[in-house]
mmCIF file of all heavy atoms in Angstrom:
data_model
loop_
_atom_site.group_PDB
_atom_site.id
_atom_site.type_symbol
_atom_site.label_atom_id
_atom_site.label_comp_id
_atom_site.label_asym_id
_atom_site.label_seq_id
_atom_site.Cartn_x
_atom_site.Cartn_y
_atom_site.Cartn_z
ATOM 1 N N LEU P 33 -87.957 -29.396 22.521
ATOM 2 C CA LEU P 33 -86.947 -28.668 23.282
ATOM 3 C C LEU P 33 -87.534 -27.542 24.106
ATOM 4 O O LEU P 33 -86.903 -27.044 25.031
ATOM 5 C CB LEU P 33 -85.869 -28.131 22.339
ATOM 6 C CG LEU P 33 -84.735 -27.335 22.966
ATOM 7 C CD1 LEU P 33 -84.027 -28.163 24.025
ATOM 8 C CD2 LEU P 33 -83.774 -26.882 21.915
ATOM 9 N N GLU P 34 -88.749 -27.131 23.834
ATOM 10 C CA GLU P 34 -89.326 -26.001 24.566
ATOM 11 C C GLU P 34 -89.429 -26.285 26.066
ATOM 12 O O GLU P 34 -89.730 -25.393 26.847
ATOM 13 C CB GLU P 34 -90.732 -25.662 24.026
ATOM 14 C CG GLU P 34 -90.720 -25.000 22.664
ATOM 15 C CD GLU P 34 -90.622 -26.000 21.517
ATOM 16 O OE1 GLU P 34 -91.147 -27.107 21.636
ATOM 17 O OE2 GLU P 34 -89.982 -25.654 20.515
ATOM 18 N N LEU P 37 -84.970 -25.993 30.670
ATOM 19 C CA LEU P 37 -83.697 -26.580 31.119
ATOM 20 C C LEU P 37 -83.716 -26.603 32.621
ATOM 21 O O LEU P 37 -84.145 -25.632 33.279
ATOM 22 C CB LEU P 37 -82.510 -25.746 30.634
ATOM 23 C CG LEU P 37 -82.261 -25.692 29.144
ATOM 24 C CD1 LEU P 37 -81.205 -24.668 28.813
ATOM 25 C CD2 LEU P 37 -81.833 -27.058 28.613
ATOM 26 N N GLU P 38 -83.271 -27.668 33.263
ATOM 27 C CA GLU P 38 -83.289 -27.744 34.710
ATOM 28 C C GLU P 38 -81.884 -27.697 35.267
ATOM 29 O O GLU P 38 -80.929 -28.119 34.631
ATOM 30 C CB GLU P 38 -84.040 -29.001 35.174
ATOM 31 C CG GLU P 38 -83.391 -30.288 34.754
ATOM 32 C CD GLU P 38 -84.235 -31.490 35.101
ATOM 33 O OE1 GLU P 38 -85.234 -31.714 34.403
ATOM 34 O OE2 GLU P 38 -83.883 -32.178 36.054
ATOM 35 N N ALA P 44 -74.445 -26.153 35.873
ATOM 36 C CA ALA P 44 -74.994 -26.167 34.525
ATOM 37 C C ALA P 44 -76.501 -26.467 34.572
ATOM 38 O O ALA P 44 -77.048 -26.827 35.612
ATOM 39 C CB ALA P 44 -74.279 -27.226 33.671
ATOM 40 N N GLY P 46 -79.646 -28.544 32.203
ATOM 41 C CA GLY P 46 -79.689 -29.568 31.175
ATOM 42 C C GLY P 46 -81.115 -30.010 30.813
ATOM 43 O O GLY P 46 -82.065 -29.756 31.531
ATOM 44 N N ASN P 49 -83.905 -35.870 26.244
ATOM 45 C CA ASN P 49 -85.108 -36.294 25.568
ATOM 46 C C ASN P 49 -84.805 -37.620 24.858
ATOM 47 O O ASN P 49 -83.947 -37.691 23.990
ATOM 48 C CB ASN P 49 -85.537 -35.255 24.535
ATOM 49 C CG ASN P 49 -86.850 -35.560 23.876
ATOM 50 O OD1 ASN P 49 -87.725 -36.152 24.481
ATOM 51 N ND2 ASN P 49 -86.991 -35.172 22.622
ATOM 52 N N ILE P 55 -86.609 -48.693 13.724
ATOM 53 C CA ILE P 55 -86.536 -50.114 14.015
ATOM 54 C C ILE P 55 -85.978 -50.820 12.792
ATOM 55 O O ILE P 55 -86.425 -50.612 11.678
ATOM 56 C CB ILE P 55 -87.925 -50.702 14.330
ATOM 57 C CG1 ILE P 55 -88.544 -49.977 15.541
ATOM 58 C CG2 ILE P 55 -87.851 -52.204 14.577
ATOM 59 C CD1 ILE P 55 -90.004 -50.352 15.774
ATOM 60 N N VAL P 57 -85.342 -54.540 11.163
ATOM 61 C CA VAL P 57 -85.654 -55.959 11.228
ATOM 62 C C VAL P 57 -84.397 -56.691 10.731
ATOM 63 O O VAL P 57 -84.046 -56.611 9.563
ATOM 64 C CB VAL P 57 -86.880 -56.339 10.365
ATOM 65 C CG1 VAL P 57 -87.121 -57.843 10.424
ATOM 66 C CG2 VAL P 57 -88.105 -55.575 10.836
ATOM 67 N N GLY P 64 -94.128 -72.217 12.972
ATOM 68 C CA GLY P 64 -94.897 -72.160 14.190
ATOM 69 C C GLY P 64 -95.234 -70.740 14.594
ATOM 70 O O GLY P 64 -95.512 -70.473 15.759
ATOM 71 N N ARG P 88 -69.810 -26.772 30.268
ATOM 72 C CA ARG P 88 -70.694 -27.545 29.367
ATOM 73 C C ARG P 88 -70.084 -28.919 29.077
ATOM 74 O O ARG P 88 -70.806 -29.928 29.092
ATOM 75 C CB ARG P 88 -70.935 -26.742 28.109
ATOM 76 C CG ARG P 88 -71.722 -25.451 28.368
ATOM 77 C CD ARG P 88 -72.063 -24.700 27.095
ATOM 78 N NE ARG P 88 -70.931 -24.163 26.401
ATOM 79 C CZ ARG P 88 -70.332 -22.988 26.647
ATOM 80 N NH1 ARG P 88 -70.797 -22.235 27.616
ATOM 81 N NH2 ARG P 88 -69.304 -22.577 25.912
ATOM 82 N N SER P 93 -70.058 -34.774 29.759
ATOM 83 C CA SER P 93 -69.285 -35.946 30.095
ATOM 84 C C SER P 93 -69.915 -36.729 31.262
ATOM 85 O O SER P 93 -69.998 -37.959 31.204
ATOM 86 C CB SER P 93 -67.850 -35.540 30.489
ATOM 87 O OG SER P 93 -67.092 -36.662 30.835
ATOM 88 N N ASN P 97 -71.280 -40.615 30.770
ATOM 89 C CA ASN P 97 -70.730 -41.666 31.631
ATOM 90 C C ASN P 97 -71.795 -42.286 32.508
ATOM 91 O O ASN P 97 -71.816 -43.525 32.701
ATOM 92 C CB ASN P 97 -69.576 -41.119 32.488
ATOM 93 C CG ASN P 97 -68.345 -40.847 31.637
ATOM 94 O OD1 ASN P 97 -68.066 -41.547 30.682
ATOM 95 N ND2 ASN P 97 -67.627 -39.804 32.000
ATOM 96 N N SER P 110 -84.232 -55.063 32.483
ATOM 97 C CA SER P 110 -85.113 -55.871 33.331
ATOM 98 C C SER P 110 -85.901 -56.903 32.531
ATOM 99 O O SER P 110 -87.075 -57.157 32.807
ATOM 100 C CB SER P 110 -86.048 -54.967 34.141
ATOM 101 O OG SER P 110 -85.298 -54.148 35.011
ATOM 102 N N GLU P 114 -83.017 -58.368 24.788
ATOM 103 C CA GLU P 114 -81.869 -59.250 24.955
ATOM 104 C C GLU P 114 -80.605 -58.474 25.276
ATOM 105 O O GLU P 114 -79.742 -58.960 25.964
ATOM 106 C CB GLU P 114 -81.658 -60.089 23.673
ATOM 107 C CG GLU P 114 -82.531 -61.317 23.581
ATOM 108 C CD GLU P 114 -83.910 -60.987 23.006
ATOM 109 O OE1 GLU P 114 -83.999 -60.098 22.130
ATOM 110 O OE2 GLU P 114 -84.896 -61.601 23.455
ATOM 111 N N ASN P 115 -80.502 -57.275 24.687
ATOM 112 C CA ASN P 115 -79.270 -56.487 24.900
ATOM 113 C C ASN P 115 -79.539 -55.002 24.598
ATOM 114 O O ASN P 115 -80.228 -54.677 23.653
ATOM 115 C CB ASN P 115 -78.146 -56.989 23.998
ATOM 116 C CG ASN P 115 -76.818 -56.362 24.317
ATOM 117 O OD1 ASN P 115 -76.429 -56.286 25.479
ATOM 118 N ND2 ASN P 115 -76.113 -55.869 23.315
ATOM 119 N N SER P 124 -71.806 -33.184 16.441
ATOM 120 C CA SER P 124 -71.926 -32.052 15.531
ATOM 121 C C SER P 124 -73.192 -32.205 14.648
ATOM 122 O O SER P 124 -73.757 -33.272 14.582
ATOM 123 C CB SER P 124 -70.677 -31.913 14.642
ATOM 124 O OG SER P 124 -70.518 -33.060 13.872
ATOM 125 N N VAL P 127 -78.789 -28.775 16.661
ATOM 126 C CA VAL P 127 -79.395 -27.458 16.750
ATOM 127 C C VAL P 127 -78.612 -26.516 17.679
ATOM 128 O O VAL P 127 -78.751 -25.312 17.570
ATOM 129 C CB VAL P 127 -80.855 -27.531 17.194
ATOM 130 C CG1 VAL P 127 -81.697 -28.314 16.209
ATOM 131 C CG2 VAL P 127 -80.991 -28.130 18.582
ATOM 132 N N SER P 147 -89.406 -60.436 18.729
ATOM 133 C CA SER P 147 -90.803 -60.094 18.869
ATOM 134 C C SER P 147 -91.634 -60.900 17.888
ATOM 135 O O SER P 147 -91.130 -61.348 16.871
ATOM 136 C CB SER P 147 -90.968 -58.581 18.579
ATOM 137 O OG SER P 147 -92.347 -58.213 18.614
ATOM 138 N N ASP P 148 -92.908 -61.094 18.199
ATOM 139 C CA ASP P 148 -93.797 -61.747 17.238
ATOM 140 C C ASP P 148 -94.368 -60.734 16.243
ATOM 141 O O ASP P 148 -95.178 -61.089 15.392
ATOM 142 C CB ASP P 148 -94.928 -62.508 17.968
ATOM 143 C CG ASP P 148 -95.788 -61.584 18.827
ATOM 144 O OD1 ASP P 148 -95.465 -60.375 18.948
ATOM 145 O OD2 ASP P 148 -96.789 -62.092 19.347
#
Side-chain angles (χ1 to χ4, degrees):
L33 179 57
E34 288 84 32
L37 293 172
E38 63 187 75
N49 186 33
I55 300 172
V57 178
R88 295 184 294 275
S93 179
N97 289 325
S110 298
E114 279 84 35
N115 188 48
S124 61
V127 299
S147 176
D148 60 354

